[in-house]
Amino acid sequence: MTLEFHQVDAFAQQPFTGNPAMVYRLDRWLDDAFMQQIAAEHNLAETAFVVKEDEAWHIRWFTPTAEVPLCGHATLASAHVLFEVYGEPGEVIDFTCLSGALRVSRAGDRLVLDFPVRRAQPCELRAEVSQALGVPVESVLALHEGQGIQELLAILSNEATVRACKPDLAAVARLPGLGLLISAAGERHDFVSRYFAPAIGIDEDPVTGSTHCILTPYWAQRLGKNALSAYQCSARGGELHCELHGERVKIAGQALLIANGRLLVK
């Protein structure tokens, strides 16, 4: 079996920044366990698989250890591959996924994600989160989906604290949910963030589109504005342009194709 893959730096204006994602455009779905093995082999934060069924693009995302319900940067990367490599016509691509309908549209040199709002609520995990991070936290919020906590958001005092934070990743992995998001008001941007998800094989994600579905409504309410500039201050770093539209979040960024290749499996 030979499968084509494409590596894209998402939310990046130059190579080797932003968040790398691997993209496979398939004719049909592979076995779930096989897709998980492929994602583990590439060992990037996300590997995306897209299949066209009944004229609609379906998308799934895998970390090196687990399938996740929503991923922004790999969706941006997938749209870039469909537009630039496979010549998908038009200015909009609609995806369906475990989290519902997603849309990616072209806007000049940017691609714009149209994702559902994900609202986090205050929770009583401040002491545990502060201990895991090794710094005081102003507040902790939790995103509840399904039967429990999906994500945690810790608000820190300032950008410098976010940048300098060195969490105990083993302690973070023991917290409920997929990962821990930290954020503060920015110095040059409206807000900054970082995201740690060691429980699903990602010690720190370079730039995370889906977490901005949580961050955008939070900071829109706190700052009293719906159009926000954001920066995820990981080692690679990435800039995002976010807008709140009711129960949808629009997240814009650039993408660069870095590599093409073939997976050879007998």
Side-chain angles (χ1 to χ4, degrees):
M1 179 186 296
T2 301
L3 299 172
E4 300 286 336
F5 62 77
H6 312 278
Q7 185 169 332
V8 174
D9 285 346
F11 299 112
Q13 297 177 336
Q14 57 186 357
F16 316 126
T17 64
N19 201 349
M22 200 66 71
V23 179
Y24 283 81
R25 192 197 73 161
L26 304 174
D27 294 327
R28 58 179 178 80
W29 291 114
L30 305 171
D31 180 77
D32 287 6
F34 186 37
M35 288 190 287
Q36 186 63 73
Q37 288 178 312
I38 292 172
E41 181 72 11
H42 288 303
N43 200 33
L44 295 177
E46 303 287 347
T47 296
F49 300 90
V50 293
V51 174
K52 199 164 195 178
E53 296 178 330
D54 300 324
E55 302 306 311
W57 286 106
H58 295 250
I59 186 167
R60 295 172 69 181
W61 311 273
F62 291 79
T63 77
T65 62
E67 184 174 7
V68 294
L70 187 66
C71 177
H73 85 277
T75 303
L76 195 83
S78 298
H80 184 76
V81 167
L82 292 175
F83 279 133
E84 303 300 331
V85 178
Y86 293 101
E88 183 72 7
E91 299 299 310
V92 174
I93 297 176
D94 289 308
F95 292 103
T96 61
C97 69
L98 293 174
S99 297
L102 309 175
R103 171 169 287 187
V104 184
S105 56
R106 297 198 226 210
D109 62 351
R110 296 177 185 167
L111 292 173
V112 183
L113 302 171
D114 186 340
F115 274 20
V117 163
R118 306 173 86 196
R119 298 187 187 277
Q121 303 298 326
C123 71
E124 301 298 325
L125 289 170
R126 187 172 173 181
E128 293 89 338
V129 170
S130 181
Q131 184 175 12
L133 291 174
V135 297
V137 300
E138 289 186 357
S139 60
V140 177
L141 299 89
L143 175 72
H144 293 268
E145 291 182 350
Q147 299 300 312
I149 293 174
Q150 187 80 10
E151 304 283 4
L152 289 173
L153 165 61
I155 304 300
L156 306 189
S157 57
N158 53 51
E159 179 174 327
T161 305
V162 171
R163 287 181 177 271
C165 186
K166 296 180 180 179
D168 179 343
L169 293 174
V172 171
R174 291 193 294 270
L175 294 170
L178 297 177
L180 173 59
L181 175 63
I182 64 174
S183 185
E187 297 170 2
R188 296 172 56 191
H189 299 81
D190 289 311
F191 65 89
V192 297
S193 67
R194 293 171 69 190
Y195 181 61
F196 308 97
I200 56 171
I202 306 169
D203 287 349
E204 181 172 2
D205 198 31
V207 189
T208 318
S210 62
T211 57
H212 288 75
C213 299
I214 304 169
L215 291 162
T216 300
Y218 174 86
W219 286 107
Q221 181 178 32
R222 181 160 167 174
L223 300 178
K225 55 194 290 190
N226 288 340
L228 300 156
S229 64
Y231 187 76
Q232 192 154 335
C233 44
S234 64
R236 291 174 64 101
E239 190 172 54
L240 308 93
H241 304 269
C242 308
E243 288 190 27
L244 182 64
H245 293 265
E247 292 303 307
R248 306 292 293 184
V249 177
K250 292 190 176 182
I251 305 165
Q254 293 173 263
L256 298 171
L257 181 65
I258 296 299
N260 297 311
R262 293 183 297 164
L263 181 72
L264 307 174
V265 180
K266 292 184 178 179

